[in-house]
Structures are given as structure tokens and as C-alpha cells.
């Protein structure tokens, strides 16, 4: 969901999101975090699962957490 200024709010009602810290993506057992475990100012790879059958879908997108809105992460796409 766009906040109108480049920030995006996760669609937490339609998808389930998990995150891997950017610096851990090449580890054999990286930390996999939930949205409430993220930290503002940090970059993460984003994984998502849907009711349509996608499970931990990894599209190689890196996002940055800019802050939070009602405990939901505000994110900005960084690169693919």
C-alpha cells in the first residue's frame, strides 16, 4: 500500500511476510524475521507467502525499513 511519498506499507492482511537481513542472505542458516522483529534503517530481503500457494517466495528484492506506522513496517524498495 503506497503512502504517497515513496514509502510502502506492507499488505499484512493479504500476504504473510518474512525477512532475511541483507548481510545474512548467503549464510546456510540465515535469521528469518517476522515484521515485528525488523529494525528501522536496516535492509532486508523480503519473502512472502500467499493463500494462492506461493510459499516463502523469494524475488531477490531488497527493502529498507524506514520506520513504522501503527507497528507495521514502512518500507522502501532499494534494489533487485
Amino acid at each position: 500500500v503506497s503512502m504517497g511519498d515513496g514509502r510502502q506499507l506492507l499488505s499484512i492482511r493479504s500476504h504473510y511476510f518474512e525477512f532475511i537481513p541483507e548481510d545474512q542472505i548467503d549464510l546456510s542458516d540465515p535469521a528469518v524475521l517476522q515484521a515485528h522483529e525488523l529494525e528501522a534503517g536496516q535492509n532486508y530481503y523480503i519473502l512472502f507467502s500467499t493463500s494462492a500457494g506461493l510459499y516463502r517466495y523469494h524475488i531477490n528484492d531488497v527493502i529498507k525499513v524506514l520506520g513504522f506506522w501503527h507497528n507495521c513496517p514502512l518500507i522502501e524498495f532499494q534494489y533487485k
Side-chain angles (χ1 to χ4, degrees):
V1 177
S2 176
M3 298 297 283
D5 58 2
R7 298 177 302 164
Q8 301 288 318
L9 188 62
L10 289 176
S11 298
I12 58 174
R13 292 187 175 154
S14 63
H15 295 73
Y16 180 74
F17 295 94
E18 295 174 291
F19 305 86
I20 297 175
E22 182 180 32
D23 62 354
Q24 293 188 23
I25 196 65
D26 292 326
L27 298 179
S28 61
D29 189 23
V32 179
L33 307 173
Q34 296 179 29
H36 72 278
E37 298 176 296
L38 302 181
E39 295 181 27
Q42 299 299 309
N43 285 356
Y44 300 91
Y45 281 89
I46 188 168
L47 311 172
F48 61 92
S49 299
T50 71
S51 61
L54 294 176
Y55 177 72
R56 285 191 164 176
Y57 192 60
H58 180 25
I59 56 175
N60 291 310
D61 283 358
V62 175
I63 55 98
K64 182 175 188 171
V65 176
L66 301 175
F68 296 85
W69 185 76
H70 295 278
N71 296 322
C72 185
L74 288 167
I75 63 172
E76 178 180 65
F77 175 79
Q78 295 298 294
Y79 58 87
K80 194 164 222 10

